[in-house]
Amino acid sequence: MALPGESTLASHGPKRPARAESRRLPAPATYPVRTEEDLLTVRHAVRAATIEVGFGLVDQTRVVTAASELARNAYVHGGGGTVTLDYPREPSGRRGLRLTVKDEGPGIADLEAALTDGFTTGSGLGHGLGGARRLMDEFTVRTGPGEGTVVVVTRWAVR
């Protein structure tokens, strides 16, 4: 029993976290990609978002890897840009994570070649853009000389 001026809190054991399907997901968020540190910030934000959506460890790794590749491309080849995280939901209730990576660089001169494994304009292995496409469920690119590049990718959670 509490004394006057004191309060007590009854507990019935630890609260279980709400199931991913019933929780409200965060609002979309946009992160700048202008420095090496920004790349790390994007990785951490994407990892947290995959957990929020309810992805298992393998899908978390897939999405973070794709995000890292795309953000690095925007930084290195596009001179910087942004990564926006959004949380789409299908009519069936299935949740996903959508990444929109934009830059204002020179654009991709030969998109077909850029999507081919082994193609690189730098010192990388040439798996970035094509690898990101394989890791995600949906993948679109809008690019053109002098127009910059917008890559939109989505991964859906397994129900």
Side-chain angles (χ1 to χ4, degrees):
M1 182 169 177
L3 298 174
E6 292 183 340
S7 61
T8 61
L9 177 63
S11 177
H12 300 287
K15 289 185 177 181
R16 291 188 308 154
R19 293 184 57 200
E21 294 83 25
S22 63
R23 274 189 299 194
R24 187 159 208 221
L25 292 170
T30 300
Y31 299 87
V33 178
R34 303 266 180 237
T35 66
E36 289 281 337
E37 291 79 22
D38 290 343
L39 297 174
L40 186 58
T41 299
V42 166
R43 284 181 61 89
H44 288 291
V46 171
R47 172 76 65 192
T50 62
I51 292 168
E52 190 70 36
V53 171
F55 288 124
L57 185 58
V58 171
D59 281 338
Q60 289 175 32
T61 303
R62 286 180 177 134
V63 175
V64 170
T65 300
S68 294
E69 293 292 340
L70 296 172
R72 179 159 294 284
N73 282 351
Y75 173 66
V76 172
H77 303 292
T82 59
V83 176
T84 300
L85 309 182
D86 193 11
Y87 304 87
R89 183 186 298 240
E90 290 185 327
S92 67
R94 184 168 72 151
R95 295 175 172 207
L97 179 60
R98 178 172 295 130
L99 311 174
T100 302
V101 183
K102 296 181 184 180
D103 70 52
E104 296 174 7
I108 301 171
D110 186 346
L111 182 58
E112 189 174 324
L115 288 166
T116 304
D117 278 347
F119 176 85
T120 183
T121 58
S123 61
L125 297 175
H127 297 297
L129 205 53
R133 179 171 62 174
R134 285 188 302 276
L135 291 168
M136 302 298 283
D137 294 321
E138 298 173 10
F139 180 94
T140 61
V141 179
R142 289 189 319 266
T143 190
E147 296 179 13
T149 301
V150 179
V151 180
V152 181
V153 295
T154 305
R155 182 89 186 169
W156 294 100
V158 178
R159 290 199 76 181

